[in-house]
Amino acid sequence: MFLLPLQTLDAIVNKIVFSRKYVVLFCGFLLHLSYGSVLTFGNMTTYITSYQRNVLLLDVTYADTMWIQAISFATTGIALPLGSYLEKIWGPRLTIIVSMFFMSGGVLLTSMTVTHSLSLVVFTYGLLFGVGARAGYMSPIAAAMRWFPDSQHGVVNGFIIAGYGMGSFVFSLIQIGYVNPQNIPADSTGYFDDVTVLERVPGLFIFLGCIYLAIQLLAVLFITNPPVCDVVKEETIDVQLSIPPEPMVPLLHVIRSPRFVALWFTFLFNDQTIIGVIGLYKAFGLNFWTDDKNLTLVGSVGAIFNALGRLAWGFLADRVQYRTLMLILTWSVVALLLSINATPLTNCVWFYAFWIIMLNIITPGTYILLPKAVRLYFGSYNIPFNYGLLFTSFIVGGPLSALVSITFLDAFGWIGVFWSMAAFSAAAGVITWFLP
C-alpha cells in the first residue's frame, strides 16, 4: 500500500525532471550535507552545556556532555551497516525515510529534552540523531552509483561525500547565526551566561530540525533507483585473462587474523583523536578566547580543510605504502597534540586555528588509508564489508572517549585530555610499526 504513492510520485517526477540522474546526485549532496552536521558537536556543546549549567543550574561540564557525542559515534558501528543492509532490501527511499524520522525527530525532540536533563539529551541528540545520520549514509551513494556508469563512480562518490564534509562548515555558521548573532562573549570560565544567548538554545533545535526535515523530504522526493531498463552499465569485452581470479578470504579468517586485529585497534585508537578534536576544540578555546564567532570560524575552516585533507590522503594512498603513511599520520598527530596546550601562550586565536586545521587535515587520513590496508592484507574481494567491520571499533571508541575526557579533564585539566589522545595515537603508531 505504501509503495503505490511512491511509484506514482516517481512517474510524476520523471516527467518533470529533464535529467533525473543529476537531480539524484545533487540531492545526495544535500542529504549528506545534513548528515555531516553531526560533526558540529564541538560548536553545539558550548551552547548545550552553558544552557544546562546556567539555566537549569545542573552541575554539567564539557567533559560530561562528551557523552552525547560518544553515544552518537558509537551508533556508527551498528547503524551504518544496518542502513546499508536495509537499502539493499527496501531501496534508498524507504531507508532515507526511516533515517529521517530518527535524525530530524531526534533533533526536534531535543528542543524539549535540553530543558530537562543531560541524560535525555544524550538519548535524543546522541542516540536518535546519531542513528539517523548513519543509517541513511549509504543510500544516496548507492542510488547515485546506479544512475551513472562505473567509470564515473569515483566522481559521484566524491561529490556526495563532499557534502558530508561541508556539513560542519555550513551548519556551524547557521548555529551561531541563530543563537549568538551579536557575538556575545563567553564568561571567564568558558561558558555562556548571557540570557539572550541561552534563551535561544531550545529554539535552535527546532530551527535545525526543520532544516534537516526539509532537506530530507527533498531527498525522499527525488532519490530513488533508476528503472531496471535504465541501469547504466559499461560496455564490456570478454577477454581471456591468463591471471586467475583473486580468491576470497573467508570471513572467520579475516576476523581472526592478527593483521585485522591490528587494524581494528589502529582505528579504535585514532578514533580518540578524531572524536576528541571534533568535540572539544571550541570548549578548550573558550578558556582563552571568549570570541564565539572566531572560534566557530576555526571549526568551520577546519571542516573545509578536513575535506581537502581527504583528497590529499587519497592522492598519497595511490603512491605510497600504507605503513609509511600511517606512521606519518600517527606521529604527526602526537606532535600536534603534545604541543596544542602551548598555543594560548601566543594570545592569538588564529595560531590555535593553525593547530586545529592541521589536525583536520591529518586525522581524516585514517578513513582513506584503512581501506587500502584491508585490500593489501585481505584482497580486493568484499572490501566494503571487511572495511565495515572496522567501524565496530566506534562501539567501544565512543564511550571510551567520554570516559577518558571526564577522567583526565577532572584529574589533570586540558593538558591531560590532549596528552591522553596523543598516547592513543602513539599506540596506533607502535601497532603500525610491526605491520608488514
Side-chain angles (χ1 to χ4, degrees), residues 190-365:
Y191 298 96
F192 293 98
D193 58 1
D194 185 85
V195 175
T196 58
V197 171
L198 297 178
E199 67 183 5
R200 296 190 186 106
V201 172
L204 173 62
F205 291 100
I206 297 176
F207 185 58
L208 291 174
C210 290
I211 295 175
Y212 299 149
L213 192 60
I215 292 174
Q216 290 158 13
L217 284 173
L218 187 68
V220 169
L221 181 65
F222 290 109
I223 296 179
T224 186
N225 289 327
V228 176
C229 59
D230 291 342
V231 175
V232 180
K233 294 184 179 180
E234 297 279 18
E235 292 184 4
T236 59
I237 301 175
D238 290 333
V239 178
Q240 295 297 324
L241 298 177
S242 58
I243 302 174
E246 186 175 317
M248 180 185 69
V249 179
L251 176 60
L252 286 178
H253 178 80
V254 172
I255 295 175
R256 293 174 179 175
S257 168
R259 292 177 181 178
F260 178 83
V261 174
L263 296 179
W264 193 91
F265 275 98
T266 298
F267 210 172
L268 172 66
F269 294 151
N270 284 350
D271 285 349
Q272 302 310 302
T273 300
I274 295 168
I275 298 172
V277 171
I278 291 172
L280 294 172
Y281 82 90
K282 188 175 178 181
F284 171 75
L286 283 174
N287 285 274
F288 309 98
W289 304 281
T290 57
D291 191 304
D292 190 18
K293 183 178 180 180
N294 281 344
L295 286 172
T296 300
L297 283 174
V298 168
S300 296
V301 172
I304 295 176
F305 280 94
N306 186 294
L308 295 175
R310 292 170 190 254
L311 296 175
W313 282 110
F315 177 83
L316 292 172
D318 290 335
R319 292 160 176 80
V320 185
Q321 290 183 344
Y322 161 78
R323 180 176 177 272
T324 301
L325 290 176
M326 185 57 78
L327 286 172
I328 293 172
L329 185 154
T330 52
W331 293 107
S332 297
V333 169
V334 170
L336 288 168
L337 291 174
L338 290 179
S339 57
I340 194 171
N341 286 280
T343 56
L345 297 177
T346 65
N347 200 30
C348 176
V349 68
W350 298 112
F351 191 74
Y352 170 62
F354 175 77
W355 255 250
I356 299 301
I357 288 171
M358 289 302 298
L359 286 167
N360 271 281
I361 292 173
I362 294 172
T363 54

Side-chain angles (χ1 to χ4, degrees), residues 92-169:
R93 177 171 282 158
L94 287 178
T95 308
I96 293 170
I97 290 174
V98 171
S99 70
M100 176 181 69
F101 279 113
F102 276 93
M103 180 176 170
S104 299
V107 175
L108 291 170
L109 285 173
T110 306
S111 66
M112 295 181 286
T113 60
V114 73
T115 63
H116 288 82
S117 71
L118 176 59
S119 58
L120 288 175
V121 176
V122 170
F123 176 73
T124 57
Y125 198 59
L127 181 65
L128 298 183
F129 183 39
V131 167
R134 274 77 180 198
Y137 184 92
M138 287 303 301
S139 293
I141 297 174
M145 288 174 65
R146 297 181 185 115
W147 282 91
F148 288 84
D150 293 348
S151 60
Q152 297 179 14
H153 283 181
V155 175
V156 168
N157 292 347
F159 182 79
I160 292 176
I161 293 173
Y164 193 86
M166 291 296 292
S168 177
F169 171 76

